Amino acid sequence: MRIVVVEDEAPIRNGMSRLLEKINPEYELAGTAENGLQGLELIERVKPDLVIMDIHMPDMDGLTMLAKVREKGMNCKAMVLSAYSDFSYAKIAIELGIENYLLKPIKIPELKRALEQVEKTLIEQQSKEEFFTLENIFYRSATGQFRSDRQTDITLEEHFRIAPDEEITILLVKLGGCYAVYHDTVRSLLEETGIHKGTFSSCLLEFEERESVIMLLYKLEDREELRQYFQKTVMPMLCGQVKGSITAVWQSCEGLAEVNPTLAKMREALEWNLVFGRETLISEMRIGQTEPVPVKYPMDIETQARQAVVSNNKVEFDACTKRLREYFLAAIHFPKEIKEACIRYCMAVYHTAKEAGKVSEDISTQDIMNRITRAYTWEQIGEAYRQFFEGLRFHREEEATSLMVQRAAQLIQEYYNQGITLEEIARKLCVSEEYLSAQFKKETGRTFTETIRGFRIEKVKELLLQTPLKLNQIADLAGYTDPKYMSKVFKEEVGVTPAEYRKLNN
């Protein structure tokens, strides 16, 4: 609390500094004056929180000084220290809005209580003023805490000239994944826009948890002209400065009470970014001008993606994701239909991977679908696909096996389609068939025959999905001499014939 003392008696004036420090070291003596004229000049210059003053002083008395302070619109608190208990002085002082009237000689406990009461009043007043700042009111309106009542409406009109049903235009800028890096840049650019344009008033709010910067515009001269200005001038600047995901939505509402529900609708409209792209200012008008056509599902791209998964080809899988995006951007579709098609695409690839034994327990199809459902940029959909692909089990974790068994497994993988036998592998490893068979079963959990069969079945699946080869050709490439025997083994392992498997997965 900053305090000015105006007192013509030097001992009291000089002693007040020591006394204030003794009562509370945080009290700051901002200056002293020996008469009303000096006091008025000092108060105007330092703008204290509290003036402690005498009444009878040369040149200008304390009450006259305080009256002039009030005339100049300064609302600092005032406390009178006087040797006079005349009621007429007290009455004038009260009318001038003093906090206390203390008689000399000063009693320290009484002064201490009076100062503490002034400090409490100042804190309450400051809290109230902060609560009724325009930024706080707009923040409460954006978060759904705003309640329109008579006192609030009066405050808005008297202090900010905002009517209860004032039209508010909202600009929502969503910075997906790059908020921490670019929110200051976005805020500065929007502040400069408000200063440079000069045709509206505005308030900027930041919401880190939603990765958003919100600009509330009011007192617009021409709303449509301003929307076009933001589309043609501001959006290119924002997109040029932000090297990451950025989406902007523009919408208006009537009254501060409607800001929160309007923001909820705007967040739903973010998904139109999948249709328009990052430099478009999404608005009801822009959406209304579109003529979406039904989504035609891209079966050819899905087939290529399934083949990429079976062959562990990440480059081709990423290329399919890119082609999928280009396919949907070639025409106007409803964003929800685009996302439904993207989910179907991913689930089709997932089922193919599952059939091929490439799905790990870590993959959650529900998580994949949720990610795509919530997406509003193609980068987010691409990231969902990337995480899906990386979660596939392309290389099963090897158990702690001996070098002999590891070498045997390598030979099986290399020669399974050439009819290699357990005897041949044992001879290559210089061990007996019985010992190798026992150790292989013990360390891998599968027999030599089961392992050979597993490799051949996986090869058959791959050829069925990736090639148009006939069954006799596939049998030969997988190490079977008889296509009928291959079909019999395949059905025992998979549950359907090779022809049925190909039909179901294509």
Side-chain angles (χ1 to χ4, degrees):
M1 184 164 63
R2 302 177 71 249
I3 303 171
V4 161
V5 176
V6 184
E7 168 65 60
D8 64 331
E9 296 184 39
I12 297 177
R13 191 171 63 246
N14 296 332
M16 187 59 71
S17 174
R18 296 188 298 273
L19 193 55
L20 290 173
E21 186 176 359
K22 183 178 180 181
I23 292 173
N24 189 335
E26 293 186 3
Y27 292 160
E28 176 189 348
L29 183 63
T32 63
E34 61 183 28
N35 59 59
L37 281 175
Q38 292 180 5
L40 180 60
E41 186 277 329
L42 178 63
I43 292 166
E44 286 185 279
R45 180 161 44 86
V46 303
K47 295 179 175 56
D49 299 309
L50 171 65
V51 177
I52 300 176
M53 64 182 195
D54 196 355
I55 290 181
H56 287 282
M57 294 182 292
D59 298 326
M60 182 187 289
D61 65 76
L63 294 178
T64 303
M65 178 195 73
L66 184 58
K68 291 186 176 296
V69 167
R70 296 294 186 238
E71 287 173 7
K72 293 178 180 291
M74 292 183 284
N75 296 317
C76 56
K77 303 300 179 185
M79 184 186 299
V80 171
L81 301 180
S82 178
Y84 300 91
S85 58
D86 191 311
F87 177 73
S88 61
Y89 291 140
K91 183 175 181 296
I92 296 172
I94 292 170
E95 290 173 351
L96 291 170
I98 67 162
E99 299 299 309
N100 218 318
Y101 193 108
L102 303 180
L103 294 175
K104 297 177 182 178
I106 302 168
K107 297 177 181 178
I108 295 178
E110 189 176 4
L111 177 62
K112 183 175 183 294
R113 284 194 299 271
L115 289 168
E116 288 173 348
Q117 182 58 48
V118 171
E119 187 173 23
K120 181 181 177 182
T121 302
L122 284 169
I123 292 172
E124 290 175 352
Q125 182 177 316
Q126 182 180 5
S127 176
K128 186 176 181 180
E129 288 174 354
E130 289 176 354
F131 184 77
F132 279 105
T133 62
L134 189 58
E135 184 172 354
N136 184 274
I137 291 171
F138 276 132
Y139 176 83
R140 289 188 293 121
S141 70
T143 55
Q145 303 173 54
F146 180 83
R147 296 293 179 270
S148 181
D149 54 43
R150 184 172 179 277
Q151 181 58 50
T152 303
D153 292 346
I154 291 172
T155 301
L156 283 169
E157 292 203 64
E158 288 184 352
H159 292 274
F160 309 114
R161 300 185 182 281
I162 297 177
D165 58 349
E166 181 92 19
E167 183 177 61
I168 307 293
T169 295
I170 307 169
L171 173 67
L172 167 63
V173 181
K174 179 80 170 181
L175 299 169
C178 61
Y179 176 87
V181 178
Y182 291 109
H183 71 102
D184 283 338
T185 301
V186 171
R187 185 184 185 103
S188 297
L189 196 151
L190 293 178
E191 285 175 345
E192 290 172 10
T193 298
I195 295 170
H196 171 73
K197 191 63 177 171
T199 58
F200 61 89
S201 298
S202 66
C203 179
L204 282 163
L205 303 173
E206 296 183 33
F207 294 90
E208 182 178 359
E209 68 281 3
R210 288 188 175 272
E211 299 184 311
S212 302
V213 177
I214 295 172
M215 187 178 198
L216 300 171
L217 304 90
Y218 57 103
K219 300 194 180 306
L220 283 63
E221 294 181 5
D222 186 327
R223 183 159 60 90
E224 178 54 24
E225 184 274 334
L226 191 62
R227 185 191 68 80
Q228 293 182 20
Y229 174 78
F230 269 79
Q231 172 61 81
K232 295 177 182 178
T233 305
V234 179
M235 284 303 296
M237 289 192 293
L238 284 171
C239 292
Q241 291 290 324
V242 176
K243 308 303 180 184
S245 174
I246 179 171
T247 308
V249 184
W250 177 278
Q251 192 163 330
S252 297
C253 63
E254 290 188 4
L256 290 170
E258 291 300 311
V259 170
N260 180 254
T262 301
L263 276 170
K265 294 176 183 176
M266 294 172 73
R267 293 188 181 103
E268 292 179 1
L270 286 168
E271 65 184 8
W272 279 91
N273 178 68
L274 295 170
V275 180
F276 299 140
R278 74 196 299 263
E279 287 200 12
T280 298
L281 181 59
I282 300 168
S283 65
E284 289 182 330
M285 176 177 289
R286 183 70 180 85
I287 294 171
Q289 291 171 344
T290 63
E291 296 182 4
V293 297
V295 167
K296 185 178 179 182
Y297 189 73
M299 284 299 304
D300 57 331
I301 301 177
E302 178 197 298
T303 301
Q304 293 164 4
R306 290 160 70 176
Q307 291 174 353
V309 165
V310 172
S311 61
N312 305 349
N313 191 334
K314 186 176 186 303
V315 174
E316 177 58 23
F317 184 82
D318 289 343
C320 288
T321 301
K322 182 179 178 181
R323 287 196 291 272
L324 188 72
R325 172 182 176 174
E326 292 170 349
Y327 179 88
F328 285 125
L329 289 176
I332 300 295
H333 308 288
F334 284 108
K336 283 184 172 56
E337 291 185 10
I338 291 174
K339 291 194 280 188
E340 287 170 1
C342 287
I343 290 173
R344 176 185 168 187
Y345 168 87
C346 195
M347 290 302 100
V349 175
Y350 169 83
H351 287 302
T352 297
K354 188 175 182 179
E355 282 291 326
K358 298 177 182 297
V359 175
S360 70
E361 296 178 357
D362 296 334
I363 292 182
S364 167
T365 55
Q366 189 61 50
D367 180 59
I368 295 168
M369 288 189 288
N370 288 341
R371 283 175 176 271
I372 296 174
T373 299
R374 294 192 300 266
Y376 57 90
T377 68
W378 282 104
E379 289 78 10
Q380 291 171 325
I381 292 177
E383 177 64 14
Y385 286 160
R386 184 189 67 77
Q387 291 190 4
F388 160 69
F389 190 89
E390 291 181 355
L392 297 176
R393 186 174 53 196
F394 292 133
H395 303 286
R396 298 179 181 178
E397 294 183 3
E398 297 288 346
E399 297 179 1
T401 57
S402 64
L403 289 175
M404 178 191 69
V405 172
Q406 289 180 34
R407 179 58 181 150
Q410 290 172 357
L411 290 168
I412 291 171
Q413 185 173 1
E414 186 174 354
Y415 298 109
Y416 72 89
N417 60 345
Q418 298 179 27
I420 194 168
T421 64
L422 177 64
E423 179 185 2
E424 290 172 326
I425 292 178
R427 188 164 58 247
K428 286 179 180 289
L429 298 177
C430 302
V431 295
S432 69
E433 289 181 48
E434 294 76 10
Y435 178 72
L436 176 59
S437 177
Q439 287 299 115
F440 196 92
K441 170 71 173 178
K442 178 181 177 182
E443 295 186 26
T444 67
R446 304 178 74 188
T447 65
F448 173 83
T449 302
E450 290 171 339
T451 303
I452 287 281
R453 177 181 291 188
F455 276 112
R456 285 175 174 169
I457 293 298
E458 291 303 316
K459 183 64 174 179
V460 172
K461 287 181 179 179
E462 179 182 333
L463 293 171
L464 286 170
L465 295 178
Q466 291 190 12
T467 72
L469 296 175
K470 296 180 180 180
L471 293 185
N472 63 325
Q473 295 172 306
I474 292 175
D476 184 57
L477 291 171
Y480 288 102
T481 56
D482 184 357
K484 292 183 179 179
Y485 178 70
M486 178 196 75
S487 296
K488 178 177 177 292
V489 173
F490 189 91
K491 186 171 183 180
E492 289 174 355
E493 290 289 324
V494 182
V496 294
T497 66
E500 290 170 335
Y501 180 85
R502 174 178 271 171
K503 185 177 181 181
L504 286 171
N505 288 278
N506 282 299

